[in-house]
């Protein structure tokens, strides 16, 4: 709520509506459980046997799920299922196309099969969700409690980046050659936002109109997005929005290592006063401290192109590189006044 109130103060056109929705959900949470597990279904058991003696009975079960709430084990996002037909024969479970809506989405469907002929079931299920909210429930599904600690760290990274808005998602639940369950979820980002304020007492970094894709699999997470930086109220020198790219790769496939992180933040025509350290600190607090120390010492103004790269190999070691190029109208505070640089190069 604090982040949305900040956006409202900055004049975000949808913040007031979002605050009203937060209040509505809070009242609902106080009056009833948010997730009501279980549901109702009807079942028909069909037994057939060839005429004459010696044949074997074939069994087919049809279950009609009128209304239920389920939580998938691999990606625990609560889903409300309605009017789903499940046909179970001796080798395959078939799920016909049905309404399956995550409780933080507007609509959704699920369909596919599950092969139960071997020692391990082998799902081939596909699903879709429309207007899936990028909030706490989605982050929990990415990093559920009691699972791989690296997934918990990845979930916290998304929380610190402050991704907000709705997305459309498609996904699959499958099995590898050894029968181990795998999942893949792709979320298309369209005009969502990022509000990053991990550093108390510093201006937040607010990015808007972000487009791109967020992919989550059993092995890791990949975020690629382009967004706009328009500054905060009172900022000077922003004639047009600056373009910012965020590319993030989080790998938790190696159970014996910590989260492997590769991140790149790029910006073109961004004011050097933009608090890019708010994003950098999510991955490297030491690098963010260095940026803040230089900002406090020199109070720079002007614009330029920036690129920051962070790599952590999962062993506890990390490297950060930063470049500022294409500098324009640069000045710094020094010797009791300001020094201006005419046509800086390098």
């Amino acid at each position: 709520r604090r982040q949305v109130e900040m956006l409202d103060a900055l004049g975000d056109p949808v913040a007031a509506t979002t605050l009203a929705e937060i209040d509505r959900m809070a009242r609902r949470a106080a009056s009833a459980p948010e997730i009501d597990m279980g549901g109702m279904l009807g079942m028909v058991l069909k037994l057939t046997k060839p005429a004459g003696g010696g044949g074997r009975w074939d069994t087919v079960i049809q279950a009609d799920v009128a209304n239920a709430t389920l939580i998938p084990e691999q990606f625990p996002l609560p889903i409300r299922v309605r009017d789903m037909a499940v046909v179970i024969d001796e080798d395959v479970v078939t799920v016909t196309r049905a309404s399956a809506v995550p409780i933080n989405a507007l609509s959704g469907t699920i369909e596919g099969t599950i092969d139960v002929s071997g020692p391990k079931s082998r799902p081939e299920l596909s699903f879709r969700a429309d207007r899936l909210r990028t909030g706490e429930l989605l982050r929990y599904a990415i990093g559920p409690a009691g699972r791989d600690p690296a997934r918990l760290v990845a979930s916290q990274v998304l929380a610190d980046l402050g991704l907000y808005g709705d997305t459309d998602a498609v996904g699959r639940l499958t099995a590898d050659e050894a029968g181990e369950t795998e999942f893949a979820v792709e979320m298309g980002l369209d005009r969502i936002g990022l509000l990053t304020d991990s550093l108390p007492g510093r201006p937040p970094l607010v990015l808007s109109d972000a487009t791109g894709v967020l992919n989550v699999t059993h092995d890791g997470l990949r975020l690629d997005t382009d967004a706009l930086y328009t500054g905060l109220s009172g900022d000077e020198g922003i004639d047009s929005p600056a373009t910012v790219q965020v590319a993030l790769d989080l790998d938790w496939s190696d159970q014996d290592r910590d989260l492997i992180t590769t991140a790149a933040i790029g910006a073109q025509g961004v004011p050097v006063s933009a608090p890019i350290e708010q994003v950098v600190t999510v991955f490297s607090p030491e690098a963010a401290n260095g940026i803040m120390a230089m900002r406090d010492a020199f109070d720079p103004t002007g614009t330029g192109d920036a690129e920051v790269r962070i790599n952590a190999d999962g062993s506890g070691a990390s490297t950060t590189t930063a470049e500022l190029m294409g500098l324009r109208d640069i000045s710094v505070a020094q010797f009791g006044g300001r020094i201006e640089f005419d046509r800086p190069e390098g």
Side-chain angles (χ1 to χ4, degrees):
R1 180 183 177 88
R2 181 171 61 89
Q3 291 179 338
V4 180
E5 287 175 341
M6 192 179 300
L7 286 175
D8 189 36
L10 297 175
D12 189 298
V14 301
T17 303
T18 305
L19 284 172
E21 177 67 9
I22 290 174
D23 291 338
R24 185 190 70 79
M25 293 179 66
R27 291 193 298 269
R28 179 181 176 188
S31 61
E34 189 68 26
I35 303 172
D36 184 14
M37 292 295 296
M40 299 291 294
L41 60 84
M43 296 186 67
V44 175
L45 175 62
K46 183 180 180 181
L47 300 174
T48 59
K49 184 174 182 290
R56 62 186 296 272
W57 289 96
D58 291 327
T59 304
V60 176
I61 301 173
Q62 178 169 331
D64 295 314
V65 183
N67 190 350
T69 301
L70 310 174
I71 299 182
E73 181 180 2
Q74 296 295 323
F75 194 74
L77 185 66
I79 297 174
R80 293 193 178 104
V81 176
R82 300 180 187 274
D83 302 324
M84 181 170 70
V86 180
V87 178
I88 308 169
D89 66 21
E90 299 200 7
D91 293 328
V92 178
V93 178
T94 302
V95 179
T96 62
R97 186 177 180 88
S99 172
V101 185
I103 65 173
N104 58 338
L106 179 66
S107 61
T109 60
I110 188 171
E111 62 183 332
T113 62
I114 305 174
D115 185 342
V116 293
S117 61
K120 291 186 177 181
S121 60
R122 304 179 66 87
E124 284 289 343
L125 297 171
S126 60
F127 59 87
R128 190 199 82 244
D130 301 319
R131 293 187 62 182
L132 179 70
R133 186 166 300 161
T134 58
E136 186 175 353
L137 285 173
L138 177 61
R139 292 195 297 269
Y140 179 83
I142 292 171
R147 301 287 183 86
D148 182 357
R151 286 181 64 174
L152 289 173
V153 174
S155 176
Q156 186 58 48
V157 167
L158 276 189
D160 291 341
L161 287 176
L163 203 67
Y164 68 93
D166 296 338
T167 177
D168 294 335
V170 294
R172 292 188 64 82
L173 189 67
T174 59
D176 62 15
E177 293 182 358
E180 298 299 325
T181 303
E182 300 179 336
F183 71 88
V185 182
E186 179 177 304
M187 289 161 271
L189 309 179
D190 184 18
R191 299 178 66 83
I192 67 168
L194 291 91
L195 192 156
T196 309
D197 63 342
S198 298
L199 296 170
R202 295 277 176 168
L205 180 67
V206 182
L207 304 178
S208 61
D209 293 319
T211 59
V213 64
L214 173 62
N215 288 313
V216 183
T217 73
H218 54 282
D219 281 337
L221 176 153
R222 175 78 185 181
L223 170 67
D224 282 293
T225 183
D226 292 345
L228 297 180
Y229 176 77
T230 56
L232 301 176
S233 177
D235 280 354
E236 297 180 356
I238 303 179
D239 298 327
S240 60
T243 303
V244 178
Q245 301 86 34
V246 178
L248 173 63
D249 195 325
L250 304 178
D251 183 345
W252 57 72
S253 60
D254 189 341
Q255 301 295 314
D256 297 326
R257 300 173 72 90
D258 292 337
L259 186 70
I260 299 173
T261 302
T262 304
I265 304 108
Q268 293 77 47
V270 68
V272 295
S273 60
I276 196 169
E277 60 268 26
Q278 290 282 11
V279 174
V280 174
T281 195
V282 174
F283 311 103
S284 176
E286 296 82 3
N289 288 337
I291 294 173
M292 288 188 293
M294 293 188 66
R295 188 185 303 284
D296 293 342
F298 297 106
D299 186 24
T301 64
T303 62
D305 304 332
E307 184 172 303
V308 181
R309 294 186 176 274
I310 302 117
N311 292 279
D313 63 7
S315 67
S318 65
T319 60
T320 303
T321 60
E323 291 185 75
L324 191 60
M325 306 155 288
L327 300 175
R328 297 174 289 278
D329 302 321
I330 294 295
S331 73
V332 297
Q334 197 60 257
F335 307 117
R338 297 198 68 83
I339 299 176
E340 296 183 358
F341 294 86
D342 184 22
R343 291 179 294 179
E345 296 180 3

